[in-house]
PDB file of all heavy atoms in Angstrom:
ATOM      1  N   THR W   1      -5.733   6.590  -7.763  1.00  0.00           N
ATOM      2  CA  THR W   1      -5.650   5.590  -6.709  1.00  0.00           C
ATOM      3  C   THR W   1      -6.855   5.652  -5.784  1.00  0.00           C
ATOM      4  O   THR W   1      -7.564   6.665  -5.719  1.00  0.00           O
ATOM      5  CB  THR W   1      -4.374   5.799  -5.867  1.00  0.00           C
ATOM      6  OG1 THR W   1      -4.404   7.116  -5.292  1.00  0.00           O
ATOM      7  CG2 THR W   1      -3.119   5.666  -6.719  1.00  0.00           C
ATOM      8  N   ASN W   2      -7.061   4.562  -5.063  1.00  0.00           N
ATOM      9  CA  ASN W   2      -8.125   4.515  -4.069  1.00  0.00           C
ATOM     10  C   ASN W   2      -7.677   3.571  -2.955  1.00  0.00           C
ATOM     11  O   ASN W   2      -6.945   2.600  -3.222  1.00  0.00           O
ATOM     12  CB  ASN W   2      -9.438   4.037  -4.684  1.00  0.00           C
ATOM     13  CG  ASN W   2     -10.626   4.395  -3.828  1.00  0.00           C
ATOM     14  OD1 ASN W   2     -10.581   5.316  -3.021  1.00  0.00           O
ATOM     15  ND2 ASN W   2     -11.707   3.649  -3.990  1.00  0.00           N
ATOM     16  N   TYR W   3      -8.134   3.865  -1.725  1.00  0.00           N
ATOM     17  CA  TYR W   3      -7.672   3.116  -0.562  1.00  0.00           C
ATOM     18  C   TYR W   3      -8.822   2.743   0.341  1.00  0.00           C
ATOM     19  O   TYR W   3      -9.814   3.477   0.453  1.00  0.00           O
ATOM     20  CB  TYR W   3      -6.672   3.956   0.254  1.00  0.00           C
ATOM     21  CG  TYR W   3      -5.451   4.356  -0.528  1.00  0.00           C
ATOM     22  CD1 TYR W   3      -5.423   5.554  -1.238  1.00  0.00           C
ATOM     23  CD2 TYR W   3      -4.335   3.537  -0.571  1.00  0.00           C
ATOM     24  CE1 TYR W   3      -4.310   5.920  -1.982  1.00  0.00           C
ATOM     25  CE2 TYR W   3      -3.214   3.891  -1.303  1.00  0.00           C
ATOM     26  CZ  TYR W   3      -3.213   5.081  -2.008  1.00  0.00           C
ATOM     27  OH  TYR W   3      -2.095   5.432  -2.729  1.00  0.00           O
ATOM     28  N   ALA W   4      -8.673   1.602   1.015  1.00  0.00           N
ATOM     29  CA  ALA W   4      -9.607   1.251   2.074  1.00  0.00           C
ATOM     30  C   ALA W   4      -9.429   2.241   3.220  1.00  0.00           C
ATOM     31  O   ALA W   4      -8.326   2.754   3.456  1.00  0.00           O
ATOM     32  CB  ALA W   4      -9.338  -0.172   2.555  1.00  0.00           C
ATOM     33  N   ASP W   5     -10.497   2.493   3.942  1.00  0.00           N
ATOM     34  CA  ASP W   5     -10.435   3.448   5.043  1.00  0.00           C
ATOM     35  C   ASP W   5      -9.384   3.050   6.076  1.00  0.00           C
ATOM     36  O   ASP W   5      -8.753   3.913   6.693  1.00  0.00           O
ATOM     37  CB  ASP W   5     -11.800   3.559   5.719  1.00  0.00           C
ATOM     38  CG  ASP W   5     -12.810   4.313   4.866  1.00  0.00           C
ATOM     39  OD1 ASP W   5     -12.389   5.010   3.918  1.00  0.00           O
ATOM     40  OD2 ASP W   5     -14.017   4.189   5.138  1.00  0.00           O
ATOM     41  N   SER W   6      -9.183   1.771   6.249  1.00  0.00           N
ATOM     42  CA  SER W   6      -8.268   1.289   7.284  1.00  0.00           C
ATOM     43  C   SER W   6      -6.804   1.627   7.000  1.00  0.00           C
ATOM     44  O   SER W   6      -5.978   1.601   7.918  1.00  0.00           O
ATOM     45  CB  SER W   6      -8.415  -0.222   7.456  1.00  0.00           C
ATOM     46  OG  SER W   6      -8.151  -0.888   6.227  1.00  0.00           O
ATOM     47  N   VAL W   7      -6.471   1.941   5.738  1.00  0.00           N
ATOM     48  CA  VAL W   7      -5.070   2.225   5.388  1.00  0.00           C
ATOM     49  C   VAL W   7      -4.883   3.620   4.820  1.00  0.00           C
ATOM     50  O   VAL W   7      -3.754   4.038   4.563  1.00  0.00           O
ATOM     51  CB  VAL W   7      -4.522   1.178   4.399  1.00  0.00           C
ATOM     52  CG1 VAL W   7      -4.729  -0.235   4.929  1.00  0.00           C
ATOM     53  CG2 VAL W   7      -5.143   1.332   3.021  1.00  0.00           C
ATOM     54  N   LYS W   8      -5.970   4.339   4.636  1.00  0.00           N
ATOM     55  CA  LYS W   8      -5.892   5.661   4.021  1.00  0.00           C
ATOM     56  C   LYS W   8      -4.999   6.576   4.853  1.00  0.00           C
ATOM     57  O   LYS W   8      -5.106   6.629   6.077  1.00  0.00           O
ATOM     58  CB  LYS W   8      -7.304   6.248   3.910  1.00  0.00           C
ATOM     59  CG  LYS W   8      -7.442   7.381   2.924  1.00  0.00           C
ATOM     60  CD  LYS W   8      -8.923   7.720   2.725  1.00  0.00           C
ATOM     61  CE  LYS W   8      -9.677   6.608   2.050  1.00  0.00           C
ATOM     62  NZ  LYS W   8     -11.098   6.966   1.768  1.00  0.00           N
ATOM     63  N   GLY W   9      -4.102   7.258   4.160  1.00  0.00           N
ATOM     64  CA  GLY W   9      -3.173   8.158   4.832  1.00  0.00           C
ATOM     65  C   GLY W   9      -1.902   7.489   5.308  1.00  0.00           C
ATOM     66  O   GLY W   9      -0.942   8.162   5.706  1.00  0.00           O
ATOM     67  N   ARG W  10      -1.855   6.162   5.269  1.00  0.00           N
ATOM     68  CA  ARG W  10      -0.675   5.424   5.714  1.00  0.00           C
ATOM     69  C   ARG W  10      -0.015   4.638   4.590  1.00  0.00           C
ATOM     70  O   ARG W  10       1.210   4.470   4.577  1.00  0.00           O
ATOM     71  CB  ARG W  10      -1.047   4.447   6.835  1.00  0.00           C
ATOM     72  CG  ARG W  10      -1.642   5.123   8.063  1.00  0.00           C
ATOM     73  CD  ARG W  10      -1.824   4.130   9.206  1.00  0.00           C
ATOM     74  NE  ARG W  10      -2.750   3.053   8.888  1.00  0.00           N
ATOM     75  CZ  ARG W  10      -2.446   1.754   8.890  1.00  0.00           C
ATOM     76  NH1 ARG W  10      -1.218   1.365   9.202  1.00  0.00           N
ATOM     77  NH2 ARG W  10      -3.362   0.836   8.602  1.00  0.00           N
ATOM     78  N   PHE W  11      -0.824   4.133   3.659  1.00  0.00           N
ATOM     79  CA  PHE W  11      -0.315   3.325   2.552  1.00  0.00           C
ATOM     80  C   PHE W  11      -0.379   4.141   1.261  1.00  0.00           C
ATOM     81  O   PHE W  11      -1.298   4.947   1.062  1.00  0.00           O
ATOM     82  CB  PHE W  11      -1.152   2.069   2.360  1.00  0.00           C
ATOM     83  CG  PHE W  11      -1.005   1.029   3.441  1.00  0.00           C
ATOM     84  CD1 PHE W  11      -0.347   1.282   4.629  1.00  0.00           C
ATOM     85  CD2 PHE W  11      -1.561  -0.236   3.261  1.00  0.00           C
ATOM     86  CE1 PHE W  11      -0.223   0.325   5.612  1.00  0.00           C
ATOM     87  CE2 PHE W  11      -1.446  -1.211   4.235  1.00  0.00           C
ATOM     88  CZ  PHE W  11      -0.781  -0.928   5.420  1.00  0.00           C
ATOM     89  N   THR W  12       0.583   3.881   0.369  1.00  0.00           N
ATOM     90  CA  THR W  12       0.593   4.521  -0.938  1.00  0.00           C
ATOM     91  C   THR W  12       0.887   3.476  -2.004  1.00  0.00           C
ATOM     92  O   THR W  12       1.907   2.787  -1.939  1.00  0.00           O
ATOM     93  CB  THR W  12       1.655   5.628  -1.006  1.00  0.00           C
ATOM     94  OG1 THR W  12       1.411   6.602   0.009  1.00  0.00           O
ATOM     95  CG2 THR W  12       1.620   6.313  -2.373  1.00  0.00           C
ATOM     96  N   ILE W  13      -0.014   3.374  -2.967  1.00  0.00           N
ATOM     97  CA  ILE W  13       0.174   2.455  -4.083  1.00  0.00           C
ATOM     98  C   ILE W  13       0.725   3.236  -5.272  1.00  0.00           C
ATOM     99  O   ILE W  13       0.340   4.387  -5.503  1.00  0.00           O
ATOM    100  CB  ILE W  13      -1.139   1.727  -4.444  1.00  0.00           C
ATOM    101  CG1 ILE W  13      -0.895   0.630  -5.475  1.00  0.00           C
ATOM    102  CG2 ILE W  13      -2.211   2.703  -4.901  1.00  0.00           C
ATOM    103  CD1 ILE W  13      -2.117  -0.266  -5.715  1.00  0.00           C
ATOM    104  N   SER W  14       1.637   2.608  -6.006  1.00  0.00           N
ATOM    105  CA  SER W  14       2.192   3.241  -7.202  1.00  0.00           C
ATOM    106  C   SER W  14       2.542   2.144  -8.208  1.00  0.00           C
ATOM    107  O   SER W  14       2.532   0.960  -7.869  1.00  0.00           O
ATOM    108  CB  SER W  14       3.441   4.065  -6.853  1.00  0.00           C
ATOM    109  OG  SER W  14       4.455   3.255  -6.283  1.00  0.00           O
ATOM    110  N   ARG W  15       2.839   2.556  -9.419  1.00  0.00           N
ATOM    111  CA  ARG W  15       3.147   1.571 -10.447  1.00  0.00           C
ATOM    112  C   ARG W  15       4.225   2.105 -11.371  1.00  0.00           C
ATOM    113  O   ARG W  15       4.342   3.313 -11.567  1.00  0.00           O
ATOM    114  CB  ARG W  15       1.897   1.192 -11.236  1.00  0.00           C
ATOM    115  CG  ARG W  15       1.304   2.304 -12.066  1.00  0.00           C
ATOM    116  CD  ARG W  15      -0.090   1.932 -12.580  1.00  0.00           C
ATOM    117  NE  ARG W  15      -0.043   0.768 -13.465  1.00  0.00           N
ATOM    118  CZ  ARG W  15      -1.106   0.021 -13.762  1.00  0.00           C
ATOM    119  NH1 ARG W  15      -2.286   0.325 -13.244  1.00  0.00           N
ATOM    120  NH2 ARG W  15      -0.997  -0.996 -14.589  1.00  0.00           N
ATOM    121  N   ASP W  16       4.982   1.177 -11.935  1.00  0.00           N
ATOM    122  CA  ASP W  16       5.981   1.479 -12.952  1.00  0.00           C
ATOM    123  C   ASP W  16       5.654   0.593 -14.150  1.00  0.00           C
ATOM    124  O   ASP W  16       5.996  -0.598 -14.164  1.00  0.00           O
ATOM    125  CB  ASP W  16       7.388   1.194 -12.414  1.00  0.00           C
ATOM    126  CG  ASP W  16       8.483   1.574 -13.399  1.00  0.00           C
ATOM    127  OD1 ASP W  16       8.203   1.656 -14.610  1.00  0.00           O
ATOM    128  OD2 ASP W  16       9.620   1.763 -12.951  1.00  0.00           O
ATOM    129  N   ASN W  17       4.974   1.163 -15.129  1.00  0.00           N
ATOM    130  CA  ASN W  17       4.522   0.350 -16.264  1.00  0.00           C
ATOM    131  C   ASN W  17       5.701  -0.164 -17.092  1.00  0.00           C
ATOM    132  O   ASN W  17       5.611  -1.233 -17.696  1.00  0.00           O
ATOM    133  CB  ASN W  17       3.574   1.156 -17.133  1.00  0.00           C
ATOM    134  CG  ASN W  17       2.225   1.368 -16.474  1.00  0.00           C
ATOM    135  OD1 ASN W  17       1.819   0.612 -15.593  1.00  0.00           O
ATOM    136  ND2 ASN W  17       1.526   2.422 -16.884  1.00  0.00           N
ATOM    137  N   ALA W  18       6.786   0.573 -17.126  1.00  0.00           N
ATOM    138  CA  ALA W  18       7.959   0.117 -17.881  1.00  0.00           C
ATOM    139  C   ALA W  18       8.574  -1.133 -17.257  1.00  0.00           C
ATOM    140  O   ALA W  18       9.182  -1.950 -17.956  1.00  0.00           O
ATOM    141  CB  ALA W  18       8.996   1.229 -17.951  1.00  0.00           C
ATOM    142  N   MET W  19       8.410  -1.274 -15.941  1.00  0.00           N
ATOM    143  CA  MET W  19       8.965  -2.417 -15.220  1.00  0.00           C
ATOM    144  C   MET W  19       7.909  -3.470 -14.912  1.00  0.00           C
ATOM    145  O   MET W  19       8.221  -4.479 -14.266  1.00  0.00           O
ATOM    146  CB  MET W  19       9.614  -1.943 -13.911  1.00  0.00           C
ATOM    147  CG  MET W  19      10.787  -1.017 -14.104  1.00  0.00           C
ATOM    148  SD  MET W  19      12.178  -1.857 -14.904  1.00  0.00           S
ATOM    149  CE  MET W  19      12.676  -2.977 -13.612  1.00  0.00           C
ATOM    150  N   ASN W  20       6.673  -3.241 -15.355  1.00  0.00           N
ATOM    151  CA  ASN W  20       5.566  -4.167 -15.049  1.00  0.00           C
ATOM    152  C   ASN W  20       5.483  -4.456 -13.553  1.00  0.00           C
ATOM    153  O   ASN W  20       5.323  -5.611 -13.135  1.00  0.00           O
ATOM    154  CB  ASN W  20       5.729  -5.482 -15.820  1.00  0.00           C
ATOM    155  CG  ASN W  20       5.379  -5.344 -17.286  1.00  0.00           C
ATOM    156  OD1 ASN W  20       5.049  -4.257 -17.754  1.00  0.00           O
ATOM    157  ND2 ASN W  20       5.452  -6.434 -18.016  1.00  0.00           N
ATOM    158  N   THR W  21       5.595  -3.412 -12.752  1.00  0.00           N
ATOM    159  CA  THR W  21       5.656  -3.582 -11.306  1.00  0.00           C
ATOM    160  C   THR W  21       4.711  -2.598 -10.621  1.00  0.00           C
ATOM    161  O   THR W  21       4.583  -1.443 -11.032  1.00  0.00           O
ATOM    162  CB  THR W  21       7.095  -3.367 -10.802  1.00  0.00           C
ATOM    163  OG1 THR W  21       7.969  -4.302 -11.454  1.00  0.00           O
ATOM    164  CG2 THR W  21       7.191  -3.585  -9.294  1.00  0.00           C
ATOM    165  N   VAL W  22       4.091  -3.077  -9.570  1.00  0.00           N
ATOM    166  CA  VAL W  22       3.269  -2.225  -8.714  1.00  0.00           C
ATOM    167  C   VAL W  22       3.834  -2.309  -7.300  1.00  0.00           C
ATOM    168  O   VAL W  22       4.327  -3.360  -6.887  1.00  0.00           O
ATOM    169  CB  VAL W  22       1.781  -2.632  -8.772  1.00  0.00           C
ATOM    170  CG1 VAL W  22       1.560  -4.044  -8.273  1.00  0.00           C
ATOM    171  CG2 VAL W  22       0.908  -1.661  -8.015  1.00  0.00           C
ATOM    172  N   TYR W  23       3.792  -1.194  -6.595  1.00  0.00           N
ATOM    173  CA  TYR W  23       4.379  -1.089  -5.261  1.00  0.00           C
ATOM    174  C   TYR W  23       3.322  -0.714  -4.234  1.00  0.00           C
ATOM    175  O   TYR W  23       2.306  -0.118  -4.561  1.00  0.00           O
ATOM    176  CB  TYR W  23       5.472  -0.010  -5.255  1.00  0.00           C
ATOM    177  CG  TYR W  23       6.557  -0.228  -6.272  1.00  0.00           C
ATOM    178  CD1 TYR W  23       6.521   0.431  -7.497  1.00  0.00           C
ATOM    179  CD2 TYR W  23       7.623  -1.082  -6.009  1.00  0.00           C
ATOM    180  CE1 TYR W  23       7.514   0.240  -8.445  1.00  0.00           C
ATOM    181  CE2 TYR W  23       8.621  -1.279  -6.951  1.00  0.00           C
ATOM    182  CZ  TYR W  23       8.557  -0.610  -8.167  1.00  0.00           C
ATOM    183  OH  TYR W  23       9.546  -0.812  -9.099  1.00  0.00           O
ATOM    184  N   LEU W  24       3.621  -1.042  -2.988  1.00  0.00           N
ATOM    185  CA  LEU W  24       2.802  -0.582  -1.877  1.00  0.00           C
ATOM    186  C   LEU W  24       3.738  -0.104  -0.775  1.00  0.00           C
ATOM    187  O   LEU W  24       4.415  -0.918  -0.141  1.00  0.00           O
ATOM    188  CB  LEU W  24       1.881  -1.683  -1.355  1.00  0.00           C
ATOM    189  CG  LEU W  24       0.877  -1.222  -0.295  1.00  0.00           C
ATOM    190  CD1 LEU W  24      -0.162  -0.268  -0.915  1.00  0.00           C
ATOM    191  CD2 LEU W  24       0.170  -2.424   0.343  1.00  0.00           C
ATOM    192  N   GLN W  25       3.788   1.201  -0.586  1.00  0.00           N
ATOM    193  CA  GLN W  25       4.551   1.779   0.511  1.00  0.00           C
ATOM    194  C   GLN W  25       3.658   1.829   1.731  1.00  0.00           C
ATOM    195  O   GLN W  25       2.582   2.437   1.690  1.00  0.00           O
ATOM    196  CB  GLN W  25       5.033   3.188   0.154  1.00  0.00           C
ATOM    197  CG  GLN W  25       5.781   3.890   1.273  1.00  0.00           C
ATOM    198  CD  GLN W  25       7.115   3.229   1.584  1.00  0.00           C
ATOM    199  OE1 GLN W  25       7.861   2.869   0.680  1.00  0.00           O
ATOM    200  NE2 GLN W  25       7.422   3.084   2.874  1.00  0.00           N
ATOM    201  N   MET W  26       4.085   1.182   2.797  1.00  0.00           N
ATOM    202  CA  MET W  26       3.280   1.086   4.011  1.00  0.00           C
ATOM    203  C   MET W  26       4.020   1.774   5.151  1.00  0.00           C
ATOM    204  O   MET W  26       5.126   1.348   5.516  1.00  0.00           O
ATOM    205  CB  MET W  26       3.022  -0.385   4.355  1.00  0.00           C
ATOM    206  CG  MET W  26       2.395  -1.172   3.225  1.00  0.00           C
ATOM    207  SD  MET W  26       1.917  -2.842   3.705  1.00  0.00           S
ATOM    208  CE  MET W  26       3.505  -3.528   4.097  1.00  0.00           C
ATOM    209  N   ASN W  27       3.433   2.811   5.679  1.00  0.00           N
ATOM    210  CA  ASN W  27       4.003   3.566   6.788  1.00  0.00           C
ATOM    211  C   ASN W  27       3.091   3.465   8.011  1.00  0.00           C
ATOM    212  O   ASN W  27       1.920   3.087   7.897  1.00  0.00           O
ATOM    213  CB  ASN W  27       4.188   5.035   6.398  1.00  0.00           C
ATOM    214  CG  ASN W  27       5.125   5.221   5.226  1.00  0.00           C
ATOM    215  OD1 ASN W  27       6.085   4.465   5.047  1.00  0.00           O
ATOM    216  ND2 ASN W  27       4.865   6.237   4.419  1.00  0.00           N
ATOM    217  N   SER W  28       3.645   3.824   9.158  1.00  0.00           N
ATOM    218  CA  SER W  28       2.872   3.824  10.414  1.00  0.00           C
ATOM    219  C   SER W  28       2.126   2.506  10.595  1.00  0.00           C
ATOM    220  O   SER W  28       0.925   2.492  10.905  1.00  0.00           O
ATOM    221  CB  SER W  28       1.888   5.006  10.429  1.00  0.00           C
ATOM    222  OG  SER W  28       2.563   6.226  10.275  1.00  0.00           O
ATOM    223  N   LEU W  29       2.841   1.434  10.400  1.00  0.00           N
ATOM    224  CA  LEU W  29       2.213   0.110  10.447  1.00  0.00           C
ATOM    225  C   LEU W  29       1.679  -0.204  11.834  1.00  0.00           C
ATOM    226  O   LEU W  29       2.266   0.186  12.858  1.00  0.00           O
ATOM    227  CB  LEU W  29       3.203  -0.952   9.991  1.00  0.00           C
ATOM    228  CG  LEU W  29       3.390  -1.013   8.469  1.00  0.00           C
ATOM    229  CD1 LEU W  29       4.673  -1.734   8.103  1.00  0.00           C
ATOM    230  CD2 LEU W  29       2.187  -1.690   7.826  1.00  0.00           C
ATOM    231  N   LYS W  30       0.569  -0.922  11.855  1.00  0.00           N
ATOM    232  CA  LYS W  30      -0.110  -1.317  13.078  1.00  0.00           C
ATOM    233  C   LYS W  30      -0.184  -2.842  13.156  1.00  0.00           C
ATOM    234  O   LYS W  30      -0.149  -3.509  12.110  1.00  0.00           O
ATOM    235  CB  LYS W  30      -1.528  -0.748  13.093  1.00  0.00           C
ATOM    236  CG  LYS W  30      -1.621   0.752  12.919  1.00  0.00           C
ATOM    237  CD  LYS W  30      -3.076   1.193  12.827  1.00  0.00           C
ATOM    238  CE  LYS W  30      -3.192   2.700  12.635  1.00  0.00           C
ATOM    239  NZ  LYS W  30      -4.614   3.134  12.555  1.00  0.00           N
ATOM    240  N   PRO W  31      -0.326  -3.385  14.347  1.00  0.00           N
ATOM    241  CA  PRO W  31      -0.455  -4.847  14.452  1.00  0.00           C
ATOM    242  C   PRO W  31      -1.599  -5.403  13.600  1.00  0.00           C
ATOM    243  O   PRO W  31      -1.478  -6.517  13.052  1.00  0.00           O
ATOM    244  CB  PRO W  31      -0.713  -5.069  15.945  1.00  0.00           C
ATOM    245  CG  PRO W  31      -0.011  -3.915  16.600  1.00  0.00           C
ATOM    246  CD  PRO W  31      -0.217  -2.759  15.666  1.00  0.00           C
ATOM    247  N   GLU W  32      -2.667  -4.642  13.437  1.00  0.00           N
ATOM    248  CA  GLU W  32      -3.788  -5.123  12.634  1.00  0.00           C
ATOM    249  C   GLU W  32      -3.492  -5.138  11.136  1.00  0.00           C
ATOM    250  O   GLU W  32      -4.319  -5.605  10.348  1.00  0.00           O
ATOM    251  CB  GLU W  32      -5.054  -4.290  12.914  1.00  0.00           C
ATOM    252  CG  GLU W  32      -4.867  -2.793  12.812  1.00  0.00           C
ATOM    253  CD  GLU W  32      -4.608  -2.139  14.172  1.00  0.00           C
ATOM    254  OE1 GLU W  32      -3.824  -2.700  14.972  1.00  0.00           O
ATOM    255  OE2 GLU W  32      -5.203  -1.067  14.403  1.00  0.00           O
ATOM    256  N   ASP W  33      -2.344  -4.625  10.716  1.00  0.00           N
ATOM    257  CA  ASP W  33      -1.928  -4.745   9.324  1.00  0.00           C
ATOM    258  C   ASP W  33      -1.272  -6.092   9.040  1.00  0.00           C
ATOM    259  O   ASP W  33      -0.967  -6.395   7.881  1.00  0.00           O
ATOM    260  CB  ASP W  33      -0.943  -3.631   8.963  1.00  0.00           C
ATOM    261  CG  ASP W  33      -1.553  -2.248   9.022  1.00  0.00           C
ATOM    262  OD1 ASP W  33      -2.707  -2.084   8.562  1.00  0.00           O
ATOM    263  OD2 ASP W  33      -0.888  -1.325   9.538  1.00  0.00           O
ATOM    264  N   THR W  34      -1.052  -6.886  10.064  1.00  0.00           N
ATOM    265  CA  THR W  34      -0.451  -8.202   9.886  1.00  0.00           C
ATOM    266  C   THR W  34      -1.333  -9.067   8.992  1.00  0.00           C
ATOM    267  O   THR W  34      -2.523  -9.257   9.260  1.00  0.00           O
ATOM    268  CB  THR W  34      -0.265  -8.889  11.248  1.00  0.00           C
ATOM    269  OG1 THR W  34       0.695  -8.140  12.018  1.00  0.00           O
ATOM    270  CG2 THR W  34       0.234 -10.320  11.080  1.00  0.00           C
ATOM    271  N   ALA W  35      -0.745  -9.578   7.921  1.00  0.00           N
ATOM    272  CA  ALA W  35      -1.489 -10.359   6.934  1.00  0.00           C
ATOM    273  C   ALA W  35      -0.527 -10.828   5.856  1.00  0.00           C
ATOM    274  O   ALA W  35       0.625 -10.392   5.802  1.00  0.00           O
ATOM    275  CB  ALA W  35      -2.599  -9.519   6.301  1.00  0.00           C
ATOM    276  N   VAL W  36      -1.020 -11.704   5.003  1.00  0.00           N
ATOM    277  CA  VAL W  36      -0.328 -12.011   3.751  1.00  0.00           C
ATOM    278  C   VAL W  36      -0.867 -11.046   2.702  1.00  0.00           C
ATOM    279  O   VAL W  36      -2.081 -10.913   2.541  1.00  0.00           O
ATOM    280  CB  VAL W  36      -0.544 -13.471   3.316  1.00  0.00           C
ATOM    281  CG1 VAL W  36       0.190 -13.738   1.997  1.00  0.00           C
ATOM    282  CG2 VAL W  36      -0.064 -14.426   4.394  1.00  0.00           C
ATOM    283  N   TYR W  37       0.051 -10.376   2.023  1.00  0.00           N
ATOM    284  CA  TYR W  37      -0.320  -9.374   1.035  1.00  0.00           C
ATOM    285  C   TYR W  37      -0.111  -9.926  -0.375  1.00  0.00           C
ATOM    286  O   TYR W  37       0.931 -10.546  -0.670  1.00  0.00           O
ATOM    287  CB  TYR W  37       0.513  -8.112   1.231  1.00  0.00           C
ATOM    288  CG  TYR W  37       0.060  -7.282   2.398  1.00  0.00           C
ATOM    289  CD1 TYR W  37       0.264  -7.716   3.712  1.00  0.00           C
ATOM    290  CD2 TYR W  37      -0.616  -6.076   2.219  1.00  0.00           C
ATOM    291  CE1 TYR W  37      -0.181  -6.975   4.797  1.00  0.00           C
ATOM    292  CE2 TYR W  37      -1.056  -5.325   3.300  1.00  0.00           C
ATOM    293  CZ  TYR W  37      -0.831  -5.778   4.583  1.00  0.00           C
ATOM    294  OH  TYR W  37      -1.276  -5.034   5.649  1.00  0.00           O
TER     295      TYR W  37
END
């Protein structure tokens, strides 16, 4: 995995290939994280 500096240590990306799904766990959210993802 790799992360932008702005989210490093707060966001975690993972994937489940059997389910064809990718996840983004977002912790310690800040107002500047407001966006369409």
